[in-house]
Amino acid sequence: MKAAAGLVLGIETSCDDTAAAVVAGGAEVLSSVVSSQVDLHAVYGGVVPELAGRAHLELLTPIIGEALERAGLDGGKSLDVVAATVGPGLIGSLLVGVSEAKALALAWGVAFAGVNHLEGHLFAALLDHPDIEWPVTVLLVSGGHTLLVSMEGPGRYRLLGQTLDDAAGEAFDKVARFLGLGYPGGPVIERAAARGDAQAFAFPRAMVGEGLDFSFSGLKTAVVHAVRRRPDATDEDVAASFQQAVVDVLVAKAVRAAVSMGARGICLAGGVAANGALRQAVTEACGSLGVPAYLPSLAMCTDNAAMIAAAGWWQVEHLGPTSLDAAADPNLRLPLLA
Ligand code: KG4
Ligand code: ZN
């Protein structure tokens, strides 16, 4: 392997974003290219796995070329690591990124790092806040996951709570689809909510007073019933009341977790962390607790390959390269401390 300049090509193809990035030393983002497939899937109201895999196959090689070029690299020979998401995600999509990463690592004679997508989201926060003091409570809220994690440092995670049914982002996507607002749900709900009254509907805050687990499927059902009962209700009021219910529960649990573990900050991660109401509520809650709120930039909330490259570099340095025999795993879990 080459000298430890730590030049890593990251590849992310776990869902509907095709992304490549070059990160130096696990910290400096030299390029980050994300091609969203939103337009491709929007007509179906959600991600169609077969279409996603085919689109990754078409898009990935040119996007890797663009990421290398924007980083000022002439090909991949000066890289140290090629890192790719190995799970969790859609298997047909994961296989495209993993196969290409292994082939490139082999061709360029560099290490391969198979990265857990959830761990990638945790590293996204580190890229924006390298000065974090441990431990922090991380609220990881995406389209597929809702986790409360005590992070004691890179690679050191304890699971505090998780959703028992729908993920927070999934609830946004399902309510947006029900209201006919489009896909993905988060941004369209947030836009509608900005013009609505968050008090218009008293939607349930499931399990808000107990424990650190979440449940969002009842909230989605409550939205459906409320709209059927009051067909004159505006989408804006429904969206604002729904968003407030999600934010209230997420923040209440994150605060409870932070207090119980004596956390030195609360950190957001995942696509839902782009939500302005959630960011504001977490900032206010941290103000009351007297600890910092670590909010990743919007580009670091949603899926990207810089976070995969950063996690990949840490992994190769601390755990060594991943074998080229390693398989993609659609159900991969966050690796936890014993
Ligand atoms: O992390 P991510 O890009 O992909 C997954 O790993 O799932 O998260 C995507 C999810 C989607 O459910 C999307 O609706 C949600 O994040 N999302 C938002 C916002 N932007 C994206 N949810 C609420 N507010 C937003 N502004
Ligand atoms: Zn994600």
Side-chain angles (χ1 to χ4, degrees), residues 165-239:
D165 40 55
D166 290 353
E170 192 178 355
F172 273 91
D173 295 335
K174 285 180 174 172
V175 167
R177 190 185 315 168
F178 169 69
L179 294 175
L181 295 179
Y183 168 84
V188 286
I189 292 268
E190 182 171 6
R191 273 199 296 279
R195 300 186 302 273
D197 174 8
Q199 314 289 326
F201 293 88
F203 289 133
R205 272 72 169 155
M207 302 164 61
V208 72
E210 53 186 92
L212 297 174
D213 286 332
F214 304 88
S215 169
F216 290 110
S217 67
L219 174 57
K220 176 199 64 199
T221 311
V223 170
V224 172
H225 287 316
V227 170
R228 293 208 169 123
R229 252 195 333 269
R230 283 173 47 186
D232 56 318
T234 66
D235 288 347
E236 286 77 9
D237 283 353
V238 176

Side-chain angles (χ1 to χ4, degrees), residues 318-337:
H318 293 85
L319 308 173
T322 307
S323 159
L324 289 177
D325 296 341
D329 179 354
N331 301 312
L332 195 63
R333 289 172 181 270
L334 188 67
L336 300 174
L337 288 169

Side-chain angles (χ1 to χ4, degrees), residues 117 121 142 303 307:
H117 181 81
H121 275 299
S142 70
D303 288 349
M307 66 185 195

Side-chain angles (χ1 to χ4, degrees), residues 69-162:
E69 197 181 314
R70 284 198 206 172
L73 300 180
D74 182 19
K77 295 241 159 69
S78 54
L79 291 167
D80 296 283
V81 180
V82 180
T85 302
V86 291
L90 303 169
I91 188 63
S93 293
L94 290 167
L95 285 173
V96 175
V98 172
S99 308
E100 180 134 357
K102 286 180 179 174
L104 290 175
L106 203 59
W108 290 330
V110 303
F112 166 65
V115 173
N116 182 311
H117 181 81
L118 300 172
E119 199 166 9
H121 275 299
L122 300 182
F123 271 80
L126 296 190
L127 274 171
D128 282 332
H129 302 283
D131 50 345
I132 285 185
E133 285 186 48
W134 312 108
V136 291
T137 296
V138 188
L139 177 63
L140 169 46
V141 270
S142 70
H145 297 85
T146 301
L147 304 177
L148 261 178
V149 175
S150 173
M151 187 169 177
E152 298 175 3
R156 300 181 57 79
Y157 319 115
R158 292 182 200 280
L159 184 63
L160 303 174
Q162 59 189 320

